[in-house]
Amino acid sequence: MTPSAEIRTAEAHAKVNLRLRVFARDETGFHGVETLLARTSLSDTVTLSASGPEAGITLSVDGPLADGVPDGPENLCWQAAERFLARAFGHRGRRAVHIRLTKRIPMGSGLGGGSADAGATLRLLADRWPRLDESELVELAGEIGSDVPFALLGVPMALGWERGRRLLPLRPPRPRPALLVCPGIHVSTPEAYDWLGRTAQDAGAASVLPGATRLAEWDSLERLSRNDLEAPVLARHQELSVLLDRLRECDPALAAMTGSGSTLFAIFRDKAERARARGTFAALEGAEGLRVLDVSLPV
């Protein structure tokens, strides 16, 4: 195989949770969830080089948001490669794998950047060494993180349950322009779930969703938008509450927090609406690490 054929590249797209319901803990101690995931146009780039003089995994990180991103075993790309190679080859010898990660998705923001990177890494490895079937890949992805199976599948939108291991890909509505408001705040996901456990009154309630065809309509999605983690997180980070109020004053089709935060998103009916909304944040951009990003979703 020629050296050029050994190099593969994939985009690793950020996600938002259009809906996130959190239910009672199961026997493993994890909360049950029901989530509606939508892929955005914001992405990292993962490049895989599966050749080299020495066996083993190496990782390099570059890009505008590379600062602070680990380039060793703590990185989910590395963990994805390690798990894949162990499952695919066992003890029959190591393989040379170099991963280059170009970071554009803010870390620790609720956008699933690390999970997207891991999912893209698994796709590239499976393309290079097609030794695992789809069910094995999804199982591996679920072992790495809750959002990794969605990233692995590479679909625009899906319903997810059981920490992301059960997924129903959906026909998405037409993409719409959106804003991501990314404050320079890290919210601990375990803490967010703990806060919910102390404050939520209906987190154990059953959820009823319309048929899948209705989920391809923005009118239905706007009515269904909900994040059970939003209220407890905003109660402890008043600056996020202020930013979300400001977003909602721009009259988007919907605005919410994604995941456990801290990123907020707003979806607009057209680009002119988004441009006007972005103008209201112009004076705040850069203050204390705040970023405002134009994206489309779902893509």
Side-chain angles (χ1 to χ4, degrees), residues 32-54:
V33 300
E34 172 190 84
T35 185
L36 183 55
L37 298 150
R39 191 173 63 178
T40 81
S41 57
L42 175 66
S43 66
D44 295 337
T45 302
V46 179
T47 302
L48 176 73
S49 176
S51 64
E54 296 183 9

Side-chain angles (χ1 to χ4, degrees), residues 19 21 34-36 159-161 168 170 206-212 214-215 220-221 224-225:
R19 179 178 174 86
R21 297 302 321 276
E34 172 190 84
T35 185
L36 183 55
L159 273 171
W161 303 270
L168 174 64
L170 298 171
S207 178
V208 178
L209 290 173
R214 295 289 304 280
L215 293 174
S220 294
L221 293 173
L224 288 168
S225 177

Side-chain angles (χ1 to χ4, degrees), residues 45-271:
T45 302
V46 179
T47 302
L48 176 73
S49 176
S51 64
E54 296 183 9
I57 300 167
T58 54
L59 173 66
S60 61
V61 183
D62 59 25
L65 296 184
D67 287 350
V69 179
D71 59 1
E74 321 90 82
N75 191 293
L76 293 187
C77 287
W78 185 299
Q79 293 176 30
E82 195 168 52
R83 287 176 182 270
F84 178 92
L85 295 173
R87 180 73 65 92
F89 296 103
H91 300 291
R92 286 172 288 175
R94 299 163 69 200
R95 298 295 188 276
V97 173
H98 177 69
I99 302 164
R100 177 184 175 187
L101 173 60
T102 302
K103 283 298 293 181
R104 303 179 194 90
I105 304 172
M107 282 201 315
S109 58
L111 291 168
S115 296
D117 300 338
T121 300
L122 288 175
R123 291 201 309 274
L124 292 172
L125 288 164
D127 181 56
R128 171 62 182 87
W129 290 297
R131 304 172 74 93
L132 306 181
D133 62 29
E134 184 172 299
S135 64
E136 290 176 296
L137 287 169
V138 171
E139 181 182 350
L140 271 184
E143 292 171 1
I144 299 166
S146 297
D147 292 326
V148 182
F150 175 68
L152 168 69
L153 290 182
V155 296
M157 198 166 79
L159 273 171
W161 303 270
E162 294 180 4
R163 293 160 54 201
R165 298 185 188 190
R166 283 181 56 214
L167 286 169
L168 174 64
L170 298 171
R171 181 171 65 88
R174 290 188 177 185
R176 278 188 171 181
L179 282 181
L180 301 179
V181 178
C182 309
I185 299 169
H186 175 71
V187 178
S188 162
T189 298
E191 283 189 353
Y193 277 88
D194 186 51
W195 298 334
L196 173 70
R198 296 178 186 177
T199 61
Q201 300 301 311
D202 63 347
S207 178
V208 178
L209 290 173
T213 55
R214 295 289 304 280
L215 293 174
E217 301 170 2
W218 278 112
D219 286 347
S220 294
L221 293 173
E222 291 163 20
R223 291 193 295 270
L224 288 168
S225 177
R226 172 172 179 168
N227 183 343
D228 286 342
L229 297 178
E230 185 177 283
V233 169
L234 266 57
R236 286 160 178 80
H237 292 279
Q238 288 297 317
E239 61 271 53
L240 295 183
S241 184
V242 170
L243 287 171
L244 185 55
D245 285 345
R246 188 163 187 159
L247 263 180
R248 288 175 172 159
E249 287 169 1
C250 297
D251 192 31
L254 67 90
M257 184 182 79
T258 181
S260 58
S262 61
T263 295
L264 311 172
F265 68 93
I267 299 173
F268 298 90
R269 299 162 192 86
D270 56 49
K271 290 183 179 180

